[in-house]
Amino acid sequence: MRFLLTSFALATTFATAAPAQTLDRVRETGQFNIGFRADAVPLSYINAEEQPAGYSVLICDRIAQSLANELELDNLNATYIAVDTKDRFDRIASGEIDILCGAATITLERREKVDFSVPTYVDGTALLLPKDGGENLSDLAGKKVGMRGATTTERAVRASFEQAGIEAEMVPFVSHQAGFKAMGDGEIDAYFADQSIMLVNFAGGEMQDKFKMSDQILTIEKHGLALTRGDADFRLFVDRVIAGLYEDGSMEQFFETTLPGIEPGAALQALHIIAPTMP
């Protein structure tokens, strides 16, 4: 049995009709489309070899391999398709992609459009600021505050400042790379991002001399893989694969591979305890 993992594609067209049940369609066509975030290091990104990489991508690689085995396909053509934060859930709902492997927080609002797998990761919104900067929201009054646009992070930051009655200039960025660059160039005074993304960029971006990460996190967010809404058989299949990854220790290995030297927090460790029981 041969499993073909293709290089990623930048697809721009949308399916015009609701997709058939995923397992049936993949069995018939041999095609499995995986959406992924290209800039959400270390969970989902394009590596130096111009290939999809990251914690969530490792999970989806294993799902694709399990799918080929389950459907007894000699050739499964698994294609990674880069998606944007603004259209990623629309592309699941339209049937253009079958599963979304990235840094997607599970929310009730998003579940009106897509389904989610069991949680795969727990993250939180962290803050990057100058070494001499105050870590309270009130210290950012009247300043420029950046974050990745069209994300739960942006929503959480705006809501937190509004609830606290603090006025600041919100500066959404199209990518984390652009946000971190603006921070380094002094164009903004603080930058909010998922803690996992912040840790990797902070540690690997040579920013420690000028900046610091706040010890506090603004939110606690549970991530999952987004799926077509109402496709119970495919969701159960994905959940079974993920449960197996928790049980055999693969999830721990994925974390160690993508976040080397970083200790998982208590919430993430708890996922290994509450994951669905096998078989």
Side-chain angles (χ1 to χ4, degrees), residues 3-9 30-34 36 50-52 61 76-81:
F3 165 64
L4 300 179
L5 183 61
T6 68
S7 58
F8 72 91
Q31 180 66 39
F32 185 47
N33 295 324
I34 307 169
F36 81 107
E50 298 294 317
Q51 295 298 317
D61 283 350
L76 174 64
N77 189 33
T79 302
Y80 276 91
I81 299 172

Side-chain angles (χ1 to χ4, degrees), residues 28-219:
E28 180 179 340
T29 65
Q31 180 66 39
F32 185 47
N33 295 324
I34 307 169
F36 81 107
R37 286 273 302 279
D39 69 335
V41 181
L43 301 182
S44 175
Y45 62 99
I46 300 174
N47 63 18
E49 288 74 40
E50 298 294 317
Q51 295 298 317
Y55 177 88
S56 297
V57 171
L58 289 174
I59 296 172
C60 282
D61 283 350
R62 195 69 66 86
I63 289 172
Q65 292 166 358
S66 299
L67 188 59
N69 294 336
E70 176 73 16
L71 300 180
E72 298 181 349
L73 294 174
D74 291 333
N75 296 296
L76 174 64
N77 189 33
T79 302
Y80 276 91
I81 299 172
V83 298
D84 187 80
T85 55
K86 295 179 180 179
D87 65 6
R88 51 186 166 162
F89 301 114
D90 290 328
R91 293 168 89 163
I92 282 283
S94 73
E96 182 186 352
I97 56 178
D98 301 310
I99 191 168
L100 176 62
C101 299
T105 301
I106 302 170
T107 70
L108 293 176
E109 181 180 358
R110 288 172 175 175
R111 284 179 56 189
E112 294 177 0
K113 181 177 291 187
V114 299
D115 276 342
F116 284 93
S117 69
V118 294
T120 56
Y121 194 81
V122 178
D123 216 334
T125 303
L127 172 63
L128 181 71
L129 65 165
K131 276 198 168 181
D132 59 353
E135 298 186 16
N136 295 320
L137 289 185
S138 58
D139 296 317
L140 299 175
K143 297 185 177 181
K144 291 185 177 182
V145 175
M147 76 293 292
R148 178 75 161 87
T151 61
T152 53
T153 297
E154 179 182 14
R155 186 179 305 176
V157 171
R158 291 184 182 275
S160 296
F161 275 79
E162 182 177 349
Q163 291 170 8
I166 299 170
E167 293 188 4
E169 182 178 346
M170 301 292 164
V171 186
F173 289 90
V174 297
S175 70
H176 288 298
Q177 289 86 345
F180 285 113
K181 183 179 185 302
M183 190 72 185
D185 293 342
E187 297 175 5
I188 56 176
D189 301 295
Y191 190 72
F192 287 90
D194 287 345
Q195 189 177 52
S196 59
I197 294 171
M198 191 79 78
L199 283 168
V200 172
N201 282 274
F202 182 71
E206 300 180 356
M207 305 181 76
Q208 298 93 328
D209 291 341
K210 295 174 57 179
F211 303 101
K212 64 180 179 180
M213 281 181 58
S214 171
D215 292 333
Q216 304 176 24
I217 57 173
L218 195 63
T219 61

